[in-house]
Amino acid sequence: MNTLLTSVSVADEEGYPILDASTRDLVGYAPKRTTADLEVLIKTATTAQPGWAVLGHAERSRLMNLVADEIDKHAVELGEIITAEQGKTGGQGEAHGAAMWLRSAANTILDTQVLADDGTTRSELHYAPLGVVASIGPWNFPVMITVWHIAPALRMGNTVVVKPSENTPLSVLALLGIFQRFLPDGVVNGISGDREVGAALAAHPGIAKIVFTGSTPTGRRIVESSANNLARLTLELGGNDAGIVLPGTDIESIADKLFWGAFMNSGQVCAALKRVYVHESLYEETVAALAERAKNAPMGSGHDKSNRLGPVQNPSQFDIVSRLVDDARDSGARIAAGGEPAPELGPLFYRATIVADIEDGAALVDEEQFGPVLPVIKYSDVDDAVRRANGNDQGLGASVWGPDVEEALRIAERMEAGTVWINQHGGVDPSIPFGGTKASGYGLEFGVEGLKAMAATKVIRR
């Protein structure tokens, strides 16, 4: 029996059903809460915040490390819920990753900064808690990204109210239950519910900061909702990440990294490689190498650890993936691998798909597919490839692939993205700041910059 699951699942009449992404079997019932419940939680968090702040960094860090240890102890149970709800083949790995990120936030040092000291006067920059921080999370990495949101907030003395995605609430509620075992009452609060609850949370005058990971359209609505209370925002929005493969690249040496940069978590990663521009001299070789990997990557239920690719998480996203591939095919693009559902595996499985002979202007190139599909676009001039890569309104991540690192660095400096990887794509580190540009959002997460984003600055002069 999964005790974490039973601790958060409610009776059917009290909640709404959550289905296994692979099998569509019932996982459990998530509590269906209302805006009235939200009011209670925000008041609770507001009351708890001063006591949590006064504990100080050392004590807060100690308690957060205890939580991280407990997450690791329950990683198998928590991973089972993640895999069931989300469909991924690495649920347990996500749980361990969440523990690692929590420790990083707990142990990162943020010192008071001395701005000036001439022996007569001294000015210092201090970082104070904001108050109550709202976390509105996505369904692709429900547990990991919740920790990304709340760990720095807690470390800096804020309390939190977490609204998970309607698609993956049980794993997040189970995670928050672990936090609540060690932290004072009211410091960590979770509420599952519909979009009305999320909108009310974003607009609530008691919220000092909102952290959101999700689509650009929803991010825009959050900006609008937060205008009246002037809540601070960190928004990590859509990312139609581009990669450029330079002439002279040894394709076989990069093909695995190129493929998994696009297909990790079946492409359901904000900073996954979503479109790749390949020089004409390497084009057919690249398409063939990616197609071979797409055809051979083990796909199936995430509960079977031998699989590498799981389903698309929900029917709405499955329809988007299907529409974009069908549009590309109908417009004359070449389907080098996949290009269709895999119903024998389950209703939400879509075969790993490589699309060739496609150009900018096609919906599959211009829109973020967020699924197991990669368009490969041919170019002849590197400057033109950079222009086309930058032509999209999103700018979360990008990558440059080539044998000459110095040349790749020069091109990376021209890419309009929050992070540019060289000969890799999508890797993140808890100590290295991460955030987007343009319509991919603003604000930084992780490391010292992530802690600063959860604090109010205060200058003290004496």
Side-chain angles (χ1 to χ4, degrees):
M1 177 184 294
N2 189 314
T3 57
L4 285 183
L5 178 59
T6 57
S7 70
V8 295
S9 183
V10 299
D12 57 354
E13 66 271 14
E14 299 175 11
Y16 62 96
I18 300 298
L19 303 182
D20 187 296
S22 295
T23 66
R24 309 310 287 164
D25 294 333
L26 180 69
V27 178
Y29 289 90
K32 189 172 184 179
R33 304 304 187 200
T34 66
T35 55
D37 298 313
L38 178 64
E39 288 290 340
V40 173
L41 287 183
I42 293 176
K43 288 180 181 178
T44 299
T46 302
T47 301
Q49 192 274 323
W52 176 243
V54 81
L55 288 180
H57 284 295
E59 179 62 8
R60 291 196 297 269
S61 295
R62 185 186 72 83
L63 293 173
M64 290 168 65
N65 276 298
L66 291 177
V67 176
D69 292 343
E70 193 74 3
I71 293 172
D72 274 333
K73 290 178 184 177
H74 292 275
V76 172
E77 285 181 285
L78 189 55
E80 288 174 352
I81 308 173
I82 295 169
T83 292
E85 284 189 309
Q86 203 283 326
K88 67 180 55 181
T89 60
Q92 184 177 340
E94 180 175 336
H96 284 304
M100 179 188 71
W101 241 271
L102 180 57
R103 289 191 187 95
S104 178
N107 300 329
T108 296
I109 296 172
L110 176 58
D111 291 324
T112 297
Q113 183 180 350
V114 177
L115 303 174
D117 187 357
D118 61 7
T120 302
T121 62
R122 179 182 174 95
S123 297
E124 298 175 343
L125 183 63
H126 293 250
Y127 299 93
L130 290 166
V132 180
V133 173
S135 162
I136 303 176
W139 47 258
N140 60 328
F141 285 87
V143 166
M144 175 77 86
I145 292 179
T146 295
V147 169
W148 290 1
H149 288 186
I150 71 174
L154 294 172
R155 164 63 195 283
M156 297 309 294
N158 306 289
T159 52
V160 297
V161 177
V162 179
K163 163 66 172 66
S165 165
E166 296 169 65
N167 293 314
T168 54
L170 296 176
S171 57
V172 175
L173 295 177
L175 169 75
L176 300 182
I178 295 175
F179 274 88
Q180 290 163 351
R181 296 178 193 177
F182 295 89
L183 274 51
D185 291 344
V187 171
V188 171
N189 309 272
I191 183 166
S192 58
D194 57 19
R195 292 184 179 181
E196 182 182 4
V197 173
L201 179 58
H204 199 283
I207 297 299
K209 166 99 184 189
I210 302 166
V211 193
F212 171 72
T213 300
S215 71
T216 297
T218 302
R220 296 186 199 279
R221 290 195 292 271
I222 287 174
V223 173
E224 294 170 357
S225 297
S226 67
N228 288 334
N229 63 346
L230 293 179
R232 302 180 186 210
L233 300 173
T234 295
L235 303 174
E236 197 255 89
L237 307 179
N240 195 359
D241 289 16
I244 298 177
V245 179
L246 300 175
T249 302
D250 181 350
I251 297 303
E252 193 57 35
S253 70
I254 69 165
D256 284 338
K257 289 192 291 184
L258 198 65
F259 179 82
W260 290 110
F263 286 87
M264 177 186 175
N265 198 28
S266 293
Q268 298 166 119
V269 180
C270 296
L273 181 61
K274 306 286 175 50
R275 51 198 171 108
V276 59
Y277 295 85
V278 180
H279 190 263
E280 58 188 2
S281 62
L282 303 171
Y283 187 75
E284 290 302 336
E285 180 185 358
T286 303
V287 169
L290 292 172
E292 177 186 8
R293 284 157 178 80
K295 293 172 183 176
N296 292 321
M299 174 177 280
S301 169
H303 300 289
D304 182 345
K305 294 182 180 180
S306 66
N307 290 319
R308 295 289 303 275
L309 298 173
V312 178
Q313 198 278 328
N314 59 79
S316 176
Q317 192 60 39
F318 183 89
D319 290 344
I320 291 172
V321 171
S322 298
R323 171 181 62 81
L324 291 173
V325 175
D326 290 347
D327 176 78
R329 180 190 291 107
D330 293 344
S331 300
R334 170 168 47 115
I335 307 300
E340 62 183 5
E344 72 278 8
L345 299 176
L348 296 182
F349 283 88
Y350 200 95
R351 300 190 197 286
T353 299
I354 303 297
V355 179
D357 302 340
I358 191 169
E359 297 291 338
D360 297 276
L364 179 59
V365 178
D366 292 356
E367 299 179 26
E368 182 183 20
Q369 66 274 42
F370 215 72
V373 181
L374 180 64
V376 187
I377 307 111
K378 183 189 299 183
Y379 76 89
S380 57
D381 179 76
V382 173
D383 290 337
D384 181 55
V386 173
R387 179 189 62 78
R388 293 160 73 182
N390 289 339
N392 195 272
D393 66 349
Q394 293 180 322
L396 185 58
S399 56
V400 183
W401 306 75
D404 185 336
V405 173
E406 293 303 318
E407 180 188 15
L409 283 170
R410 288 192 294 271
I411 293 171
E413 291 174 354
R414 298 167 58 193
M415 302 288 279
E416 297 172 358
T419 299
V420 183
W421 293 274
I422 301 216
N423 290 326
Q424 57 179 305
H425 195 108
V428 291
D429 184 293
S431 65
I432 298 174
F434 179 76
T437 62
K438 301 193 289 188
S440 289
Y442 46 78
L444 290 173
E445 300 178 273
F446 312 160
V448 172
E449 297 303 321
L451 295 183
K452 291 179 180 179
M454 294 295 178
T457 54
K458 178 188 298 184
V459 174
I460 299 179
R461 302 187 67 183
R462 55 187 170 89

